[in-house]
């Protein structure tokens, strides 16, 4: 949905009325808080297992970005690409940390480190390409689609793994 909004409306983030820009900021904040809450629930369920710390840090980053966007929507709107870059970078590092922590227990789980790499690569674009030349929707939209697809591939792989474990 975030990718559709970012890519589908040509003037959503550029020269948009303030209420629409703030609406987009609140949408990002709601997404970050919801995603962070789900990540936190996952981390809590794995409290006694390897990878708990990485999962917890990923959840806290996402919740932190959501709280920041809700607490300071004006700053978030003005610095949307910077907030996005920090969020994507920290989420990517956390995803790679989780993948490294779980690599000995799960084989063939390539989507999670790929999601981390996608996040880090997309976080570098706003830093490298400063100024008006960078259109936020061409960074946030593709990022949301690529990240979502890699997580969908991970979910399908984990579902297949659960079926294999149950069959044993």
């Amino acid at each position: 949905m975030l990718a559709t909004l970012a890519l589908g409306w040509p003037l959503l983030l550029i020269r948009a009325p303030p209420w629409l820009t703030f609406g987009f900021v609140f949408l990002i904040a709601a997404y970050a808080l919801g995603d962070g809450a789900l990540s936190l629930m996952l981390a809590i369920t794995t409290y006694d297992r390897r990878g708990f710390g990485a999962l917890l840090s990923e959840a806290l980053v996402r919740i932190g970005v959501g709280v920041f966007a809700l607490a300071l929507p004006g700053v978030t709107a003005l610095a949307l690409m910077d907030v996005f870059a920090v969020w994507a970078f920290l989420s990517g590092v956390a995803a790679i940390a989780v993948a490294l922590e779980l690599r000995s227990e799960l084989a063939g789980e390539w989507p999670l480190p790929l999601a981390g790499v996608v996040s880090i690569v997309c976080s570098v674009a706003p830093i490298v390409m400063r100024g008006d030349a960078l259109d936020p929707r061409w960074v946030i939209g593709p990022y949301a689609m690529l990240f979502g697809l890699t997580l969908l591939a991970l979910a399908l792989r984990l579902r297949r793994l659960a079926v294999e474990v149950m069959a044993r």
Side-chain angles (χ1 to χ4, degrees):
M1 181 168 144
L2 184 61
T4 304
L5 285 174
L7 289 173
W9 294 348
L11 295 177
L12 179 64
L13 298 174
I14 298 174
R15 287 177 260 139
W19 63 268
L20 188 58
T21 302
F22 282 109
F24 191 71
V25 167
F26 287 126
L27 177 69
I28 289 173
Y31 170 77
L33 284 172
D35 191 38
L38 291 174
S39 296
L40 184 61
M41 290 184 337
L42 177 65
I44 289 170
T45 61
T46 62
Y47 176 71
D48 57 343
R49 296 188 183 107
R50 291 182 60 203
F52 166 74
L55 286 171
L56 182 63
S57 67
E58 186 174 2
L60 293 177
V61 164
R62 292 173 183 186
I63 290 171
V65 168
V67 168
F68 177 81
L70 281 178
L72 300 167
V75 173
T76 304
L78 290 174
L80 181 62
M81 291 307 293
D82 295 329
V83 171
F84 167 77
V86 169
W87 176 31
F89 182 79
L90 292 175
S91 291
V93 168
I96 290 173
V98 169
L100 289 173
E101 193 68 31
L102 297 177
R103 71 177 174 202
S104 64
E105 296 180 24
L106 298 172
E109 302 312 321
W110 57 268
L112 189 56
L114 179 62
V117 169
V118 165
S119 289
I120 291 172
V121 168
C122 288
S123 74
V124 171
I127 295 167
V128 172
M129 301 168 58
R130 284 279 180 207
D132 294 333
L134 183 64
D135 188 345
R137 63 194 164 110
W138 295 116
V139 175
I140 295 173
Y143 164 75
M145 286 194 293
L146 288 171
F147 193 74
L149 288 173
T150 55
L151 291 183
L152 179 63
L154 177 64
L156 293 173
R157 173 67 182 115
L158 291 176
R159 182 175 181 210
R160 187 173 52 228
L161 182 65
V163 168
E164 291 173 7
V165 168
M166 295 299 287
R168 291 182 189 176

